[in-house]
Amino acid sequence: MEQKKLTPTTDLKMSKRASLLGAIFLMATSAIGPGFITQTATFTTQLGAAFAFGILASILIDFVVQLNIWRIVTLTRMRASDIANAAIPGAGYFLAILVIIGGLFFNIGNIGGTGLGLNAIFGLDPKIGGAISAIFSIAIFVSKRAGLAVDRFIIFAGLMMIVLTLYVAFVSAPPVGDAFRQTFLPDTINFATITTIVGGTVGGYITYSGAHRLLDRGMVGIENLPVVNRAALTGIAVTGIMRYVLFLAILGVVASGVIIDTSGQAANPAAQAFRSAAGDLGFRLFGIIFWAAAITSVIGAAYTSVSFLPVFKQDMSERARNIATIIFIAVSLVCYLLITTPPAAMLVFVGGLNGLILPIGLSIFLFAAWKREDLMGGHRYSRILLGLGVLTCALTWYMGYKSAGTIFGLLGL
């Protein structure tokens, strides 16, 4: 039977589809990383079904933030730091420093997450597991086809996370009715919790991960706006469903009366929940899910943080960026090996830290969309999205103000 030959046009379409899927899953796996999983287990243990409201708030904020950021980057054909500099001179350097610092903290936690995942699967010391995973991440960027390797690995790991989490949610038998009611009418609202979960899902580097991936793959300009909108909405839908399913999986365990330790030096709340739901098999599945979430987040945090470096050196080549990414992961690993803060506590803290960074970048972007139509290719930016963005931005500023002390208190500061 004669094989069908790929034409340049077909090949280009396949490449674009892979780029879109890569951007969607990069955003999704960054948003459902080890930080979010640990935060969900910690806060579900503390708040029970009332935490469903925090999940809903994070999804709504995610929707407004990501749609605005993806559209603005697509229309301007510029990186976030360059957009910020064009809107407010010098703001791009400030934003880049914040994102890189936040990304470094996040990556220390992410590498810790890979260690916890391999500990659950093989019983390895978390420090050794983190080192092995960091070296694996570096190997991906050493590859001559690093871009394609990143896209394919992230898509595979993302699909594996979805399937395994759905299984655990099914066997834990959560009180769905109570969770649904408290999604909209919670018994209690905790701003520090919401700020932390928002930061862990859309704060810091995560805000720009998918948008910068599309930019690097050439999916920009008004002609690509419809497909970028669909990709952003798809990514948000995937992450939203995954967040809620993960919450239900852990809620089922908490509601059954199982006591989960969230404070000990070696505490791993999510692992305890998965083991209670599905025994040793659940514990191993947790390890796979957690490692997949953590390793994709290591890649995403490093890739996106380094994507801000060209604001300091405009002619930075792709090879130089890959080398910088490798160094970024190596520095994160060294910091992880040296710190004494428990990985679970670090993962909760970095979510809060990036939640505090979120409104700064969003404010700059919304200002650019409002005042600089020339940056948008002469197109008048959607006033509906701009209005929703302003409301969301005001909310995140308020939540950050109310919760900053609590967040830094997680590290005893």
Side-chain angles (χ1 to χ4, degrees), residues 107-125:
N107 231 24
I108 294 169
N110 289 336
I111 291 175
T114 64
L116 290 176
L118 291 183
N119 173 262
I121 301 171
F122 303 113
L124 281 177
D125 181 283

Side-chain angles (χ1 to χ4, degrees), residues 218-381:
M219 299 292 292
V220 292
I222 188 68
E223 65 276 12
N224 282 307
L225 197 57
V227 72
V228 167
N229 284 339
R230 288 196 299 273
L233 291 172
T234 301
I236 293 165
V238 170
T239 56
I241 292 169
M242 274 293 292
R243 288 176 204 173
Y244 207 81
V245 168
L246 178 65
F247 157 71
L248 289 175
I250 295 169
L251 179 63
V253 174
V254 173
S256 70
V258 173
I259 297 175
I260 295 177
D261 174 27
T262 61
S263 59
Q265 177 70 21
N268 192 344
Q272 297 170 56
F274 274 59
R275 171 169 265 170
S276 297
D280 284 340
L281 173 62
F283 188 63
R284 305 295 179 224
L285 289 179
F286 160 80
I288 297 170
I289 293 169
F290 207 72
W291 184 83
I295 198 71
T296 51
S297 293
V298 168
I299 293 168
Y303 170 84
T304 308
S305 298
V306 169
S307 73
F308 278 78
L309 286 180
V311 73
F312 302 105
K313 183 177 173 55
Q314 293 294 332
D315 58 346
M316 195 173 187
S317 66
E318 185 175 352
R319 182 175 180 275
R321 281 180 54 191
N322 280 344
I323 292 173
T325 305
I326 291 169
I327 294 172
F328 188 90
I329 296 173
V331 170
S332 302
L333 173 60
V334 171
C335 291
Y336 166 65
L337 294 175
L338 293 176
I339 65 171
T340 57
T341 302
M346 175 63 76
L347 287 168
V348 175
F349 165 72
V350 294
L353 176 65
N354 281 277
L356 300 177
I357 293 173
L358 170 63
I360 298 172
L362 184 58
S363 298
I364 296 169
F365 261 64
L366 293 174
F367 178 80
W370 175 43
K371 283 292 188 180
R372 294 294 304 272
E373 285 188 7
D374 57 311
L375 295 178
M376 309 291 139
H379 298 282
R380 188 171 185 267
Y381 194 74

Side-chain angles (χ1 to χ4, degrees), residues 21 24-26 28-30 32 150-166 238 242 288-289 291-293 295-296:
L21 282 173
I24 289 169
F25 276 93
L26 182 62
T29 53
S30 294
I32 315 169
V150 168
D151 284 341
R152 288 182 174 175
F153 178 74
I154 285 176
I155 291 169
F156 168 75
L159 290 172
M160 180 172 64
M161 286 168 57
I162 291 171
V163 172
L164 295 180
T165 307
L166 282 170
V238 170
M242 274 293 292
I288 297 170
I289 293 169
W291 184 83
I295 198 71
T296 51

